[in-house]
Amino acid sequence: MTDLVCGALDRQHGLLEATRSWSAEDWLAWDDEVRVLGRWHSQALPSRRELFGGSALGETERLAVALCHPDGRVRERALGEVTTDSGLTPLVAVRSTDWAGPVRDRARALLRDLLTAAEAVRYAGLLVRLGERARGEFGAGLLRELIGPDSVRPLLHDPDRQVRRHAHRLAVDRRWLDARASARRAAEDPDAVVQQLCADAALRDVTEEDADEVLHALLGARSARARSAGVTALRRLGRGERAWDFLVDRNALVRACARYVVRQDGGDPREFYAELCADPLSLEVPPGAVIGLAECGDRADAGVLWACTGHEWDAVRASAVAGLRALDLALPDRLLPLLDDESPKVVREVVAALLPDAARLPGAWLAERLAPGRERHTRVAAFRLLSARGGVPQLRVCVSLLENEDEDERLRRWAEQSVQRWQPGREVPRGDAEVAALLTRSAHLFSGDALRERRRAAGVPVESRDKGQESQEKGQERQTEGRAEGQVEGQLEKRARTWGLRMGQGMRRLRRSRG
């Protein structure tokens, strides 16, 4: 944006055409950059005489600079020259949040005259962002005054998330959307805030006449927030039997809401889950039933969950591992073989279950899973567990990955960071020869002081430095200390001169006053 400001000043014309496609961030950036130029590079901006007494700049360029000038008197004077045709209404909106009271009051009065309903829609993003400032309530309030039931509709689909949130709050508070429209917006909008806002509005306004349409939109939504709101409303609308279909939903919140509705109607979700999982290896077992059994079951269901870890579908296996973790039944010896699973989602669940017991995992077995021929998700899982395990196996594997120049660039970067963060734990014997060798092989990753600190922490001998290096470092330290002392002395001398000058001026004033 600094280049744009300088370019506009050099070309002198054409800014009005460029601003037609500006976003809210562009207008705010222009305001910031003009102020920065005026404060630190004042020679780059036209003077006050040039701005108001015959500048070669075009009318738009001249006012755009003057409206953002660091001098408040210039900003206030420029506001008096802004017209409807100048195309600078956004900068007037920015000035309505000005810290200077006279500038702010004049800008607010002008903005009320300039801003139309169409321009309020066009500049809604800027007005919403200005509303977040300490003195920005005027622009946001003006936006609320000018927006009506018809003009709010394009804002409901605006690509700017903050504009959509503001527009939906306005539409919901003023009841411009009926229950059906609110349900559709909750199902279609990707923003979680809008989803929750519209789902609550749909349930607030739903009636028996439009209940089917509202529930169809909410229960069929991709968003878990919308589906959970629809499931919660089933019992109130007399359709509680439909909640059974959502006991196996892919989302935990939706399953919890469905279990609540089922229990309110006297049903038993656990029996439902147990029936679905009666044959753990059946292809008819839905993944949601497996994790649902763990969510409302107890440790007696461990046998069913362990059996589901051998299911043909990876989603069922992943749900079974997640269920075992939820019931605190994740036995490392039985879960470790699943690190070789062909499905990344299963391996991710296995890693999440094993991380609390990482210190007890076999380091050599995990190191084998980092071999170059393994699947990438298996290698990443083994690396995560080794990093959590720590100790000599972690350092050994990381140094090996770096020395062998592993083809996976991300793994190499993680290995480098792990070596630099490595600290010897209690399980690492002090003075271990392998640790000393590994630190020597990875010495290029440390500064001299950091390497010596690691060696001392591990109890291995610290390598001595030659006398030339020591003398060079001492010389550098003395030079640094000398420069610092010189800077301090210079500052003290400057302060002494300043205070002496002030004292002299004070004494002269005192003598003149005594006459």
Side-chain angles (χ1 to χ4, degrees), residues 395-406:
L395 185 60
R396 183 191 305 127
V397 166
C398 291
V399 173
S400 176
L401 286 174
L402 294 173
E403 289 182 340
N404 296 332
E405 297 183 356
D406 194 273

Side-chain angles (χ1 to χ4, degrees), residues 23-260:
S23 64
E25 288 78 8
D26 294 330
W27 287 108
L28 295 174
W30 173 275
D31 177 55
D32 292 339
E33 293 302 332
V34 171
R35 289 202 178 208
V36 169
L37 280 175
R39 182 172 299 172
W40 302 108
H41 307 283
S42 57
Q43 70 280 1
L45 293 182
S47 63
R48 292 179 60 185
R49 180 177 299 178
E50 291 173 335
L51 286 173
F52 299 108
S55 172
L57 290 174
E59 186 67 12
T60 302
E61 289 76 12
R62 181 180 68 84
L63 287 177
V65 172
L67 285 170
C68 305
H69 199 277
D71 191 334
R73 293 166 296 183
V74 175
R75 300 197 300 274
E76 184 180 7
R77 183 174 175 180
L79 286 169
E81 301 186 19
V82 176
T83 63
T84 307
D85 300 330
S86 62
L88 297 178
T89 303
L91 291 182
V92 177
V94 174
R95 293 282 67 81
S96 69
T97 67
D98 202 284
W99 68 272
V103 178
R104 185 171 63 251
D105 295 339
R106 188 166 189 175
R108 290 181 175 183
L110 181 61
L111 184 62
R112 183 174 289 279
D113 295 335
L114 292 178
L115 196 64
T116 63
E119 285 190 323
V121 173
R122 179 182 176 185
Y123 301 123
L126 177 63
L127 295 173
V128 169
R129 281 165 175 76
L130 292 175
E132 299 173 355
R133 293 187 174 184
R135 293 172 291 272
E137 71 283 349
F138 180 82
L142 201 57
L143 176 64
R144 289 191 291 270
E145 291 179 17
L146 295 173
I147 294 297
D150 296 329
S151 56
V152 78
R153 298 194 179 280
L155 298 181
L156 298 178
H157 303 273
D158 196 276
D160 190 331
R161 180 178 60 184
Q162 295 187 37
V163 173
R164 291 203 312 278
R165 289 180 178 179
H166 188 85
H168 279 93
R169 288 193 185 98
L170 198 61
V172 166
D173 292 343
R174 299 182 180 181
R175 297 181 183 268
W176 290 341
L177 299 177
D178 59 16
R180 290 185 292 267
S182 297
R184 286 194 297 269
R185 295 304 306 146
E188 296 171 1
D189 199 280
D191 184 56
V193 174
V194 173
Q195 293 168 6
Q196 190 67 55
L197 189 68
C198 292
D200 293 342
L203 299 184
R204 177 196 65 189
D205 301 331
V206 66
T207 62
E208 188 62 33
E209 297 177 357
D210 53 17
D212 291 335
E213 294 183 51
V214 170
L215 290 175
H216 178 75
L218 292 178
L219 297 177
R222 289 189 60 189
S223 163
R225 292 175 181 269
R227 293 201 308 279
S228 63
V231 170
T232 305
L234 286 173
R235 185 169 182 270
R236 178 164 63 89
L237 297 174
R239 294 164 175 80
E241 69 281 354
R242 295 185 60 183
W244 291 87
D245 299 334
F246 294 90
L247 287 175
V248 295
D249 192 273
R250 61 183 180 274
N251 183 267
L253 176 62
V254 178
R255 292 194 300 270
C257 292
R259 288 195 293 269
Y260 167 78

Side-chain angles (χ1 to χ4, degrees), residues 371-451:
R374 299 277 182 173
E375 294 288 341
R376 187 180 187 279
H377 61 268
T378 300
R379 302 185 73 205
V380 171
F383 186 87
R384 289 184 61 192
L385 292 173
L386 275 171
S387 298
R389 185 188 187 281
V392 179
Q394 176 198 4
L395 185 60
R396 183 191 305 127
V397 166
C398 291
V399 173
S400 176
L401 286 174
L402 294 173
E403 289 182 340
N404 296 332
E405 297 183 356
D406 194 273
E407 60 183 9
D408 192 323
E409 182 180 354
R410 185 171 295 182
L411 266 181
R412 290 201 311 271
R413 185 167 68 251
W414 290 343
E416 181 178 331
Q417 295 170 351
S418 294
V419 172
Q420 292 171 338
R421 292 195 298 261
W422 185 84
Q423 293 288 347
R426 297 178 180 177
E427 74 282 357
V428 178
R430 292 188 60 79
D432 188 80
E434 184 182 6
V435 172
L438 292 172
L439 290 175
T440 301
R441 287 157 56 186
S442 58
H444 61 284
L445 301 177
F446 299 93
S447 65
D449 291 338
L451 182 60

Side-chain angles (χ1 to χ4, degrees), residues 174-354:
R174 299 182 180 181
R175 297 181 183 268
W176 290 341
L177 299 177
D178 59 16
R180 290 185 292 267
S182 297
R184 286 194 297 269
R185 295 304 306 146
E188 296 171 1
D189 199 280
D191 184 56
V193 174
V194 173
Q195 293 168 6
Q196 190 67 55
L197 189 68
C198 292
D200 293 342
L203 299 184
R204 177 196 65 189
D205 301 331
V206 66
T207 62
E208 188 62 33
E209 297 177 357
D210 53 17
D212 291 335
E213 294 183 51
V214 170
L215 290 175
H216 178 75
L218 292 178
L219 297 177
R222 289 189 60 189
S223 163
R225 292 175 181 269
R227 293 201 308 279
S228 63
V231 170
T232 305
L234 286 173
R235 185 169 182 270
R236 178 164 63 89
L237 297 174
R239 294 164 175 80
E241 69 281 354
R242 295 185 60 183
W244 291 87
D245 299 334
F246 294 90
L247 287 175
V248 295
D249 192 273
R250 61 183 180 274
N251 183 267
L253 176 62
V254 178
R255 292 194 300 270
C257 292
R259 288 195 293 269
Y260 167 78
V261 175
V262 168
R263 289 191 181 106
Q264 292 298 309
D265 288 340
D268 187 355
R270 186 181 180 281
E271 290 185 3
F272 176 78
Y273 289 135
E275 290 178 5
L276 289 178
C277 299
D279 184 3
L281 300 181
S282 172
L283 297 180
E284 302 297 326
V285 177
V290 179
I291 185 62
L293 180 63
E295 289 169 345
C296 66
D298 52 35
R299 297 171 73 89
D301 301 312
V304 176
L305 297 176
W306 280 114
C308 288
T309 59
H311 198 276
E312 183 178 346
W313 288 1
D314 58 350
V316 174
R317 297 197 300 274
S319 296
V321 175
L324 290 168
R325 177 163 62 95
L327 292 175
D328 196 20
L329 294 171
L331 303 178
D333 295 341
R334 299 185 65 176
L335 283 181
L336 273 176
L338 289 176
L339 276 182
D340 296 327
D341 196 283
E342 61 183 11
S343 172
K345 67 171 64 175
V346 176
V347 174
R348 284 194 295 269
E349 291 293 343
V350 172
V351 171
L354 291 178

